Amino acid sequence: MKKLINAPDRVVTEALEGVAAAHPDLLTVHLDPAYIMRADAPVKGKAALVSGGGSGHEPMHGGYVGRGMLDAACPGAVFTSPTPDQILAATRAVTGEQGALHIVKNYTGDVMNFDMAADLAREEGLRLEAVIIDDDVAVKDSLYTAGRRGVGGTILAEKICGGAAEAGADLGSLARLCRDVNASVRSMGVALTSCTVPHVGKPSFELGEDEMEFGIGIHGEPGRKRVGMESADRIADMLMQPILEDLPFRRGDPVLLFVNGLGGTPLIELYIVYRAAHRIAQAHGLTVARSLVGSYITSLEMAGTSITLLRLTDEMTRYWDAPCVTPALRWGA
């Protein structure tokens, strides 16, 4: 195992200390319990957005804390759900009179721990709504979930709802918008290599030089099948077809096309995949109105990609375009 770390049991803490040192103008970082919050939170008159999950997926979620996105994020241990006390402390720290929305990826530990934290927060008198993101079409159940996994759609929900919250949307409207995004988004991924969790010290699974795992999860959990290596155009087609078949897109629909890198894929390759996915979307009569290309949800150093397609409404487009200032996303501000 070759990694730029000091000790496996210090990875998350030392990374958070680095985040705090790098972005003191944007963020406040707490270590016990661990969470990241906006430096200006709680923002008066604004509903808060709180998310979180296992570390190892950076820049998700901590990289999306800031104006126009999340108010707080809770980083668990690598590939491990944050604890209820983390989530409660983060929620308590950023929530004002307008309440808070929890955006939760559909992994069993995440759902259970966010539920527990929400119950405790409500007992303290905080107003809380929660929306579960389950956009992955690869498998219905995995090692980590009951039902579909939450993947690329999570970032889109955080950005769109973050724009709406910044514009003053109330808590009920934010929850409704988040559910609308989740109902309109589908994702699928493929891995070309495994990744190594620091405290394990060896690859999570083995792939031959001519193999890829089709339908992979962001923790390295198995997908639909293991198949032979294909060209970028063929991989894009294999990912796009299940997405297009699952959500009844209509000709002329405006969509946001998101090609994500899983941590070990260079941007030049992601643009080759985007080129193919864009052509496939156009061939199906869709209008690619917005795009996102880059490594926004990773799985440590895993090589591979995921494709996410969101059917846009005017409301979603307006808030997607809203100004945003976070460590990982800065535009329009």
Side-chain angles (χ1 to χ4, degrees):
M1 180 177 71
K2 290 183 178 179
K3 289 184 178 290
L4 296 174
I5 65 174
N6 295 308
D9 61 349
R10 292 283 300 169
V11 165
V12 175
T13 297
E14 291 181 359
L16 288 173
E17 290 171 348
V19 168
H23 306 290
D25 56 327
L26 298 178
L27 309 174
T28 299
V29 177
H30 295 261
L31 296 179
D32 188 18
Y35 62 92
I36 301 169
M37 60 182 283
R38 284 177 59 157
D40 59 349
V43 180
K44 185 175 177 59
K46 176 187 175 299
L49 298 186
V50 179
S51 192
S55 296
H57 304 303
E58 288 73 20
M60 188 174 75
H61 292 276
Y64 305 121
V65 175
R67 182 158 62 91
M69 283 194 78
L70 296 175
D71 292 84
C74 307
V78 174
F79 291 3
T80 303
S81 303
T83 61
D85 66 308
Q86 287 179 263
I87 301 164
L88 177 61
T91 302
R92 188 189 289 136
V94 300
T95 303
E97 294 180 357
Q98 301 304 312
L101 173 66
H102 285 172
I103 300 178
V104 188
K105 301 188 304 303
N106 190 33
Y107 294 94
T108 302
D110 288 16
V111 172
M112 178 179 66
N113 291 350
F114 268 91
D115 277 350
M116 292 175 62
D119 288 342
L120 293 170
R122 291 186 183 105
E123 289 178 6
E124 295 182 6
L126 299 181
R127 295 177 57 213
L128 253 294
E129 291 272 4
V131 176
I132 295 173
I133 306 297
D134 56 355
D135 56 307
D136 188 3
V137 303
V139 291
K140 181 181 177 182
D141 298 294
S142 76
L143 300 176
Y144 288 73
T145 65
R148 290 180 168 181
R149 302 174 291 212
V151 285
T154 312
I155 301 302
L156 308 189
E158 291 174 354
K159 175 63 185 76
I160 291 167
C161 293
E166 208 71 44
D170 62 43
L171 183 57
S173 298
L174 286 176
R176 188 266 310 159
L177 177 59
C178 196
R179 293 186 184 103
D180 287 348
V181 171
N182 187 57
S184 303
V185 66
R186 299 292 187 272
S187 300
M188 173 79 93
V190 62
L192 309 184
T193 69
S194 181
C195 61
T196 298
V197 176
H199 66 266
V200 175
K202 62 181 180 179
S204 299
F205 58 91
E206 297 291 340
L207 274 177
E209 285 296 315
D210 61 346
E211 290 182 321
M212 59 182 186
E213 186 76 25
F214 178 64
I216 194 75
I218 58 172
H219 305 90
E221 65 268 38
R224 286 188 174 185
K225 56 186 176 180
R226 185 163 295 188
V227 297
M229 188 64 197
E230 297 280 359
S231 68
D233 284 358
R234 175 61 181 146
I235 289 171
D237 185 64
M238 292 172 69
L239 296 176
M240 285 287 285
Q241 290 306 319
I243 291 171
L244 292 166
E245 291 167 1
D246 194 88
L247 186 66
F249 293 97
R250 298 178 295 269
R251 294 189 68 85
D253 277 347
V255 297
L256 188 159
L257 176 58
F258 172 24
V259 172
N260 178 62
L262 297 179
T265 304
L267 192 56
I268 190 171
E269 296 178 21
L270 297 180
Y271 275 111
I272 293 171
V273 173
Y274 180 86
R275 163 187 171 273
H278 189 276
R279 290 180 175 181
I280 293 166
Q282 288 184 317
H284 279 75
L286 304 179
T287 301
V288 180
R290 297 292 185 275
S291 303
L292 187 65
V293 183
S295 294
Y296 293 96
I297 307 172
T298 65
S299 187
L300 295 169
E301 78 278 20
M302 183 183 288
T305 187
S306 63
I307 295 177
T308 298
L309 203 61
L310 169 65
R311 183 168 60 205
L312 288 165
T313 64
D314 290 344
E315 181 183 33
M316 292 177 197
T317 302
R318 179 168 69 255
Y319 293 131
W320 176 259
D321 292 341
C324 174
V325 182
T326 78
L329 278 180
R330 297 178 184 231
W331 68 57

